[in-house]
Amino acid sequence: MTTLSAVSQLAPASRASVARLVQIQIHGLEQTIDHALSGSGSLLTRMINAAQAAKLSAGEGQAAIDRVVASIVAARSMRAEIVAAHDELRTIGGRINLREMGWGDLVPSPETAAAASGGTAAGELAA
């Protein structure tokens, strides 16, 4: 198992490579959880609409509704934990000088922008 100190001793390109794999996986997991939350909400809506269309009493199907609501609560908790893990990883990335991993896809990180312009980014050693 790779420890934080072992990762921090890797060459900058290797550290970025390892960090990119983790970043890709955590973004994928976040999307999966969001998809599950959305699907659970849609299922709940469909179940309630179906019960009303079938003119079921309020008590009929309540146990199934409770289960779906419980799954939504569980997915919400999972999402909160993964978001917290993502924040922790961002903190670790800063400690081992991988701040560029926390910028996301919306804007280029300072390191990416500096590399594109041929400059030296913060935290890099000039050759």
Side-chain angles (χ1 to χ4, degrees), residues 73-90:
V73 171
R76 180 249 167 243
S77 295
M78 186 177 191
R79 188 178 196 279
E81 291 299 326
I82 292 303
V83 167
H86 198 157
D87 288 343
E88 290 291 330
L89 290 170
R90 191 174 291 116

Side-chain angles (χ1 to χ4, degrees), residues 49-119:
N49 289 340
Q52 289 173 343
K55 299 189 186 315
L56 298 177
S57 70
E60 293 179 286
Q62 184 61 43
I65 287 172
D66 290 344
R67 298 282 186 179
V68 173
V69 169
S71 76
I72 292 169
V73 171
R76 180 249 167 243
S77 295
M78 186 177 191
R79 188 178 196 279
E81 291 299 326
I82 292 303
V83 167
H86 198 157
D87 288 343
E88 290 291 330
L89 290 170
R90 191 174 291 116
T91 299
I92 292 168
R95 286 199 320 246
I96 62 171
N97 202 23
L98 285 173
R99 289 173 187 86
E100 69 273 15
M101 301 307 294
W103 287 77
D105 298 330
L106 298 178
V107 296
S109 70
E111 286 76 4
T112 303
S117 68

Side-chain angles (χ1 to χ4, degrees), residues 4-96:
L4 178 59
S5 62
V7 170
S8 66
Q9 293 175 9
L10 292 172
S14 296
R15 286 187 300 172
S17 212
V18 168
R20 180 66 63 197
L21 291 174
V22 171
Q23 186 179 50
I24 288 167
Q25 182 124 19
I26 202 159
H27 283 150
L29 183 54
E30 289 167 343
Q31 289 176 349
T32 298
I33 294 166
D34 284 350
H35 184 71
L37 273 167
S38 175
S40 297
S42 295
L43 175 60
L44 181 61
T45 299
R46 187 172 308 262
M47 287 170 56
I48 292 169
N49 289 340
Q52 289 173 343
K55 299 189 186 315
L56 298 177
S57 70
E60 293 179 286
Q62 184 61 43
I65 287 172
D66 290 344
R67 298 282 186 179
V68 173
V69 169
S71 76
I72 292 169
V73 171
R76 180 249 167 243
S77 295
M78 186 177 191
R79 188 178 196 279
E81 291 299 326
I82 292 303
V83 167
H86 198 157
D87 288 343
E88 290 291 330
L89 290 170
R90 191 174 291 116
T91 299
I92 292 168
R95 286 199 320 246
I96 62 171

